[in-house]
Amino acid sequence: MNTANLITAFSWGNYSPLNTLKVLDLACGSGRNGAWFAERGADVTFVDRNAEAFPALQEAFPHCDLLQADLESGALPALGQFDVVLVFNYLHRPLMPWITQRLAAGGLLFYETFNWAQTALGKPSNPEFLLQEAELLHTFAKLETLHYFEGKLINNNAQPQEKAQLIARNSAGFSD
């Protein structure tokens, strides 16, 4: 499994030891990004509507939680706050305020998904699944932006993809 560069290139030296972190991996799919934290001892909650990857994740990381949930159903899972929230290749705009509320004070959001320019390269091409220009910056404006990028990414010699990336910190602290 290839962990996203957004996570592995981040300077973790200024933060709590990775094995003390509570991490939420939303729409986790295979769990590749949350697994990076779990391998380092973090308590990861993997959430996805498709539980296909859960048996392998449970076997590899028995200290972690697995939650099968449809994040688009309107009934969001009752979860607390996390030190790190991961969202990759997923966009459901009504979920954005809930994502912000999952961040503990000082918590970090790692968000990377396709933007509007992806239509020129292929799928996804449905506007519901594509960010508009600077949408992540505007949506998470209450958070402190640590990194923002919007443009063409080429990872591991794969096809180029048009994406937006955000790493942001909850400096203010939010509550439910």
Side-chain angles (χ1 to χ4, degrees):
M1 282 192 256
N2 290 327
T3 305
N5 291 338
L6 194 61
I7 294 169
T8 59
F10 186 74
S11 177
W12 289 102
N14 298 329
Y15 292 90
S16 298
L18 293 175
N19 65 349
T20 66
L21 297 177
K22 283 184 58 180
V23 178
L24 177 61
D25 191 353
L26 287 175
C28 68
S30 68
R32 68 186 176 99
N33 294 309
W36 187 87
F37 289 93
E39 288 168 350
R40 288 152 179 80
D43 290 324
V44 180
T45 299
F46 295 93
V47 179
D48 203 288
R49 71 174 167 200
N50 181 347
E52 185 176 307
F54 285 5
L57 289 170
Q58 186 67 66
E59 183 177 335
F61 311 113
H63 66 284
C64 294
D65 295 316
L66 305 157
L67 177 61
Q68 184 174 9
D70 183 350
L71 298 170
E72 298 173 21
S73 69
L76 295 172
L79 297 172
Q81 293 187 318
F82 295 82
D83 302 306
V84 177
V85 175
L86 308 172
V87 186
F88 285 82
N89 299 329
Y90 180 74
L91 178 62
H92 183 61
R93 289 174 177 90
L95 197 61
M96 302 297 204
W98 182 85
I99 290 171
T100 302
Q101 293 171 347
R102 301 289 61 83
L103 285 171
L108 297 170
L109 172 64
F110 287 77
Y111 206 126
E112 176 182 299
T113 198
F114 299 96
N115 70 19
W116 59 274
Q118 179 64 23
T119 57
L121 301 176
K123 294 187 179 193
S125 58
N126 183 336
E128 285 185 44
F129 306 125
L130 300 172
L131 292 164
Q132 294 300 309
E133 189 171 341
E135 185 174 353
L136 284 180
L137 283 176
H138 296 304
T139 301
F140 295 105
K142 291 181 180 179
L143 302 177
E144 175 190 359
T145 300
L146 303 178
H147 165 80
Y148 186 76
F149 170 82
E150 195 166 321
K152 193 173 289 188
L153 290 176
I154 301 173
N155 291 321
N156 302 321
N157 298 321
Q159 287 288 96
Q161 298 175 325
E162 289 284 347
K163 291 191 167 183
Q165 297 178 327
L166 173 73
I167 302 174
R169 180 177 32 231
N170 177 4
S171 297
F174 300 103
S175 61
D176 288 328

